[in-house]
Each structure stands twice: as structure tokens, then as C-alpha cells.
Amino acid sequence: MESKNNKVKMETIHRKLGFAFGFYVDPVGFSGGLALWWNKENDLEVDGASKNFIHVIITDLKDSSRWAATFVYGCPERSGCAPVWNTIRSIAHSERLPWLCVGDFNQVMTAEDKLGGVAPSQNSLTGFHEMISECGQVDLEFKGPSSHGVII
């Protein structure tokens, strides 16, 4: 999740909620900051992290199964999207384990999905669609009152 808080603040919340472990990327200024929490049933190895993602290898300690997950916080500014998409592409091409990629991509699938603000450019929509296709991701769509969707 995007926390907008530093590790000290997030560690307090993490303990109150009863999670055994946590990993953090501190925010830059008043934006960003990532927190990932998990319990002792799983072992997580952080394989990479930045202000836009945390990539982990997860081992289920009950059956020793392993898989990878990338938790994404997409850049909210158009100019920063391409580097995030390229990082996801790189992970997709190199990861050999079953892989889940999920998070807030800060991007819509279509211009009609955008409510308010500046309409997305065709270039940003095209770049996002190309990244999804190249990585073999599937839009799970969203059903409910919000306009935000989930991509994995």
C-alpha cells in the first residue's frame, strides 16, 4: 500500500494490527512510501524495491511452494510512467516462478475510466496496454461503486 508515512509510523501500525513482519520504502516528501506486511506462515525474500514497487519471493512454509509477487505503486505523473512500466517488463521477462503483479498502477485502461482531472493521453494508454500485453497480465476489471480496477 502507499503509506505516505515513514517506517517508524508504519511499524507502530504494523504491530497494532498483529503482523509478524514488515518491509518499508520511505516516502519522498509527502508522497509515496510503501509498506508490505505478512505473517509467519510465509517467508518473504525482498528481491527488489524502489519508490514504485516491492518485488518479493514468497515461500509458503506449510508446503514449501514458492511464487513471486510485485506490489506496484505507479507513478502519478505521466513523465514517470515509462520507467515503472519498463521495470515491470524486466521483472516479467526474468521471473521464472509463478508471478502476481498487483497494485495501484495510477493508470486507467480507457479514457472513459477516468473521472475528472486531465484526460489520459493516447500515448499513456498505449504504453500501459503494451506493457500489460508484453507481461502477459490480465485486467481483472472492477465491479462496484469505485472506478478503480486491478491488474494482475
Side-chain angles (χ1 to χ4, degrees):
M1 68 181 173
E2 176 193 16
S3 68
K4 297 185 181 182
N5 290 293
N6 65 27
K7 180 180 178 177
V8 173
K9 173 78 172 180
M10 295 310 297
E11 199 54 32
T12 302
I13 297 168
H14 151 243
R15 288 198 177 118
K16 284 182 181 178
L17 293 175
F19 285 95
F21 305 102
F23 179 83
Y24 307 94
V25 176
D26 280 334
V28 177
F30 295 108
S31 66
L34 302 175
L36 179 63
W37 301 327
W38 65 97
N39 282 319
K40 59 187 175 186
E41 293 83 11
N42 296 298
D43 179 49
L44 268 73
E45 172 190 337
V46 176
D47 195 40
S50 76
K51 66 180 183 175
N52 297 106
F53 77 95
I54 300 173
H55 181 70
V56 297
I57 306 301
I58 301 167
T59 303
D60 183 326
L61 297 177
K62 293 177 187 167
D63 64 10
S64 299
S65 61
R66 294 181 49 156
W67 55 287
T70 305
F71 301 95
V72 178
Y73 172 62
C75 185
E77 296 141 10
R78 288 182 186 171
S79 62
C81 290
V84 176
W85 303 159
N86 289 337
T87 298
I88 294 170
R89 281 184 180 98
S90 177
I91 292 169
H93 293 305
S94 64
E95 189 55 66
R96 298 295 168 237
L97 293 170
W99 177 54
L100 169 71
C101 183
V102 64
D104 179 356
F105 288 78
N106 270 316
Q107 178 66 49
V108 293
M109 292 294 291
T110 67
E112 293 77 31
D113 292 338
K114 176 79 168 132
L115 299 176
V118 178
S121 72
Q122 189 56 46
N123 285 343
S124 68
L125 292 173
T126 300
F128 187 54
H129 284 251
E130 287 174 353
M131 182 272 298
I132 289 170
S133 177
E134 288 176 33
C135 295
Q137 295 179 329
V138 176
D139 179 9
L140 294 181
E141 300 182 3
F142 183 85
K143 306 293 183 210
S146 177
S147 65
H148 300 292
V150 176
I151 307 293
I152 65 167

